[in-house]
Amino acid sequence: MASNTLIRAAVLGASGYTGADLIRLAARHPSIKIAALIAKGHAGQPLAQVFPHLVSLDVPKLVTADEVDWSGIDVAFCGLPHGTAHAEIKKLPERVKVVDMSADFRLRDLGTYAEWYGGEHSAPELHESAVYGLTEHYRDAIAKARIVACPGCYPTAVLLALLPLMKSGLISSEDIIIDAKSGVSGAGRTLKQNILFSEAGEGLSPYGIGSHRHVPEIEQELGAVAEMPVRVNFTPHLVPMTRGELCTSYVRLAGKAAAADLRKALADAYATSPFVRVVEEGVIPATQHVRGSNYCHIGVFADRLPGRAIVVSAIDNLVKGSAGQALQNFNLMYGLDETTALEQLPLFP
Amino acid sequence: MASNTLIRAAVLGASGYTGADLIRLAARHPSIKIAALIAKGHAGQPLAQVFPHLVSLDVPKLVTADEVDWSGIDVAFCGLPHGTAHAEIKKLPERVKVVDMSADFRLRDLGTYAEWYGGEHSAPELHESAVYGLTEHYRDAIAKARIVACPGCYPTAVLLALLPLMKSGLISSEDIIIDAKSGVSGAGRTLKQNILFSEAGEGLSPYGIGSHRHVPEIEQELGAVAEMPVRVNFTPHLVPMTRGELCTSYVRLAGKAAAADLRKALADAYATSPFVRVVEEGVIPATQHVRGSNYCHIGVFADRLPGRAIVVSAIDNLVKGSAGQALQNFNLMYGLDETTALEQLPLFP
Amino acid sequence: MASNTLIRAAVLGASGYTGADLIRLAARHPSIKIAALIAKGHAGQPLAQVFPHLVSLDVPKLVTADEVDWSGIDVAFCGLPHGTAHAEIKKLPERVKVVDMSADFRLRDLGTYAEWYGGEHSAPELHESAVYGLTEHYRDAIAKARIVACPGCYPTAVLLALLPLMKSGLISSEDIIIDAKSGVSGAGRTLKQNILFSEAGEGLSPYGIGSHRHVPEIEQELGAVAEMPVRVNFTPHLVPMTRGELCTSYVRLAGKAAAADLRKALADAYATSPFVRVVEEGVIPATQHVRGSNYCHIGVFADRLPGRAIVVSAIDNLVKGSAGQALQNFNLMYGLDETTALEQLPLFP
Amino acid sequence: MASNTLIRAAVLGASGYTGADLIRLAARHPSIKIAALIAKGHAGQPLAQVFPHLVSLDVPKLVTADEVDWSGIDVAFCGLPHGTAHAEIKKLPERVKVVDMSADFRLRDLGTYAEWYGGEHSAPELHESAVYGLTEHYRDAIAKARIVACPGCYPTAVLLALLPLMKSGLISSEDIIIDAKSGVSGAGRTLKQNILFSEAGEGLSPYGIGSHRHVPEIEQELGAVAEMPVRVNFTPHLVPMTRGELCTSYVRLAGKAAAADLRKALADAYATSPFVRVVEEGVIPATQHVRGSNYCHIGVFADRLPGRAIVVSAIDNLVKGSAGQALQNFNLMYGLDETTALEQLPLFP
């Protein structure tokens, strides 16, 4: 693609992990020119000062949003913290498309947003037009959207596994128990004691039991296909690894459905989705097998408890769970092949 | 205690992790003299050759069981693999007490044993007299037993959390879902590809879904207090840490019980148990907080799903989950204070 | 590139880590068709059975070398163990080019080879024509070679750092002390106790002190540019991480050279080398910053000891230290851009 | 020991890692009563709030130093940050003995202190009377001291290895190169980006090259026995593990000394020291083998470079490198057996 036809992208929140991973991937996208990197607290610094692993890139210095000439920007990837993204996105010219990796445009009900994220939404009008960016389930809407709200990492892993099952009526909307496990990078780069190496290493604990902000997002989407309110148990755990997320979902089978039916329904649902893979019977999904890639692996297992099954899904929380899915959505928004710049295979060992 | 009144102990399986941890603890026990270390494959070697961290100990060389003068042995700690322990224990003189850390004497039903462990039991008569060594629940029987079958690591964490709740009728025997997570040392020292550092590190996956051998043990004990057969979902996961085990049990509340009732029942049950601690409301158990110690931390949490609760229990799989509990049982068997040689505080960070 | 003009590659040793990483990279190479995957012990299995992270690839099943129709192969990447590669490579048709990642063709002196690798070399005639594949230093010879012997991971990190300094006479050939640290993947996938997660995790130790097989390779290349025999201290350490290698080289300055002169010499030497980067003054190389990529970062630091300096180099041992450099050499051998299929940025965090 | 004869201890800096490890060990000391826990920023909180792993202890709440009734305190263990300890220690009544784990009383020359620690020392008169607490080398002085300045973690590992060699004239005072590696806990509990799990994990880098504050301490002690100024290269590296420190010291042999002479000199020097162990020939020290214990393992190896040798020493940085050595010194100061409360064996795996 000739340089003058490149799509000019800005990254808001370029000093966070999702920002960095977006830059890592976008820098190798044949249709993207990284035109602005925004990180308020680091304005004036070269990117390599906050992310030395990106030192080989020829990209602009970090700036504040005010310093950007937005007339030269086509699309903004937003990796700002929840609750701050909406105000920044509101300021962008209407012609700039937005791929938001924050939570600010994910919840369709603004009351629910205010309840879980602790504040009024400053851009309700934009909010209404935003499309939920779970790529495999909203491709058409994403292709036409101005603002795409990429799902949280946990909802991505959970919904890819459960949405087709709920939609096809194979599982009950009751009694869904999701035991989720995430690597530490999911907590971001902000300094907190519990994510110090010496605290999180060689250890394991649940957190945010019953109160994790990804709950309403999961319930919203499951409820939409169940066509009734759905309530789930969602219990995340912090695991001593950097990348990776694995959700073990314990579900009640509807009617006479068996694990094999669930596996088939998932395989059918994702037959033409290059990044979602239902693993063969007997294979167990593992975060190692998707690390650094945009893949999601899903396995279905019979339960010892009659009438129940276990669905296991694994992703890289920063790729399919954030920056990778963002780029996948960008590809759809611009009519490009969904896999562009996302072909890297998992990094194992 | 004068040297001539010391209890003379042999360790079978001294080259495995549970054997090593037993030696580590027993070597500092004021009433124990380590009189024989048995490790068939390493006979003739000093212990420090297989476990350099124990180089400072003045203990006998590794030998085969045949080389031991059993007339000089009072008690045998057995850390042999499942399925091989019963044959070795059978050979011991009847006056030798046995603290078995294998699975061979845990299941009261020999049919169940054969089904799950793949073979006939060679010592059914001994089997009958063995006591299940979940210390806090079988103190009296343990004190009088010749053979104590210490529980598996997972059953220890699960049963300490659920037995008092089942016994007091606060939870249903139906629909118990146990999502378990273990550090890699639980897999032992045998060479297997999936526990290589480069395979298990920076990754996470379930294993043995629906087929883990700790299931019948859990069901046996829960069933005993429920006075009816109990079936559970038990799904273990391999976590990139060496020590530590955390079980997240999702239970259905009976009648009008609430999370607070469960917490109180547990606190009452363990009021005089020095090693089991029900954490305060708001505190979340973490394996880091029990690492290297004989403690078990238990927390109870309300569930978003009405009529359910979450019980989280954390132990060090090699201590309370194996060698520590073995020594605790030994203390009871010899009328010693339960905490003797087990007072070490958790190693954190 | 049309499919019929693709270069058809075989991979020998497809079940090892270097084989897997080669496949990971080569599968995305626009000019390569993976035509045969050879892994004797796994013949008949799909690749995904030994490497589930590569399940998305459409590649042939694993076979033995004998099963391959070599007339359809243009190039062989060899990831076989040291000492076994030469015999396999000897059997290949002469028209098949070879990129060898083993040690079998690295040492120009066959006596030295026999001494360090414990055996006669079975293909001395091929050996003579092989080119040492330290890409940045042997580009012209590599471009014309039939057999390229890619350097070991440690020699790559060390030589990229020291060769230009030795060549320019800035450092003494005496008293070179190389303290090297490697992630555990460097030990391969063979089952060994010391690389179990529970053994290598949360710990650190040197190994192979004075006897590591990468010594003669380092001395050969340093000696070649020094034009005299060079002897080095090389002390590797096993570090609890999977990927990454960092060499801290303590060197004696020649004449009045200072750290700044060394930095400049390195910057000049690699001015046109896309993958070798001399970091800015004040920046410290870290394996995190090159993880998963083909980059080598080099830093130079003044020493408190007068007349000495410290040179630090970091690579990913499986990429620039093995499969990545192999592919880089392949690119040169086929007249392709050196960076083809190696553009992935480091994976951080 | 009757409760009224217990030695009443205060811990300054009870919310840091060294403070916590001191409490962990002291709580099991038969002659110590923990009478006050001081942590300014956490005053009013129970200890378990900052260190949940110590929840089982029955100790006083955290307070400020001003809140302590010092008339009831016999000894103060100080785990305050460097540069703040001297001012706090100055305020203590003269009858209170002090075991300081900070750097504030380690350097005999106050000019050197000011240069490396960036400030005037507020208590020069106390400073003069302080004894350097490298236990094995200063037993007599420690036994009589009021203030003992425990060495830094790195100096402990380095000096235990090199002091006897320098003293016996077996190594040259020139050209000592110390490549040091530490687990992340050495950086303390203060929030810093580079010690986040996602930053330090799966990676390795040197830090503080040529400028680490442990340099003058090492040079002071080596210089004292060499009876001349000694300058060393000391290059520390941050390793992805929590506990553990390993120093690889590259030394020049004096006269005709060989590695075996060094090993013998060390063995002689520590023949009656229970915690320092010269490992047998062929055994390689590893931090895993001393983890959680007060042991130091030292190995000596011949170098490929003629006239040089390699000395490797391993400790747990928080135990022998800090809290353990502090308690060992306390034992000497009170005429107790040096090993009291320090008998725990290493925690492996």
Side-chain angles (χ1 to χ4, degrees), chain B residues 155-202:
Chain B
T156 297
V158 169
L159 294 171
L160 286 176
L162 299 190
L163 269 192
L165 305 179
M166 186 68 86
K167 203 179 287 185
S168 58
L170 290 166
I171 61 170
S172 164
S173 64
E174 308 239 313
D175 226 21
I176 296 174
I177 291 167
I178 303 158
D179 189 292
K181 298 98 178 165
S182 176
V184 183
S185 66
R189 209 182 199 189
T190 308
L191 301 180
K192 280 173 289 186
Q193 190 179 70
N194 71 314
I195 57 169
L196 291 180
F197 187 93
S198 302
E199 306 274 328
E202 270 288 307

Side-chain angles (χ1 to χ4, degrees), chain A residues 162-173:
Chain A
L162 299 190
L163 270 190
L165 305 179
M166 186 68 86
K167 203 179 285 184
S168 59
L170 289 167
I171 61 170
S172 164
S173 65

Side-chain angles (χ1 to χ4, degrees), chain B residues 85-106:
Chain B
H86 57 79
E88 294 300 320
I89 288 172
K90 193 183 175 177
K91 296 183 204 158
L92 302 182
E94 222 183 299
R95 42 165 294 285
V96 174
K97 296 194 186 193
V98 177
V99 187
D100 185 20
M101 301 181 284
S102 88
D104 282 5
F105 293 86
R106 292 175 193 159

Side-chain angles (χ1 to χ4, degrees), chain D residues 79-86 100-104 106 113 117 152 213-214:
Chain D
L80 292 172
H82 311 321
T84 70
H86 58 77
D100 185 21
M101 300 180 285
S102 88
D104 282 6
R106 293 176 193 158
Y113 176 82
Y117 288 90
R213 286 169 165 176
H214 285 170

Side-chain angles (χ1 to χ4, degrees), chain C residues 109-126:
Chain C
D109 185 80
L110 283 178
T112 308
Y113 177 82
E115 178 192 337
W116 286 82
Y117 288 90
E120 286 301 298
H121 201 290
S122 71
E125 65 299 337
L126 290 181

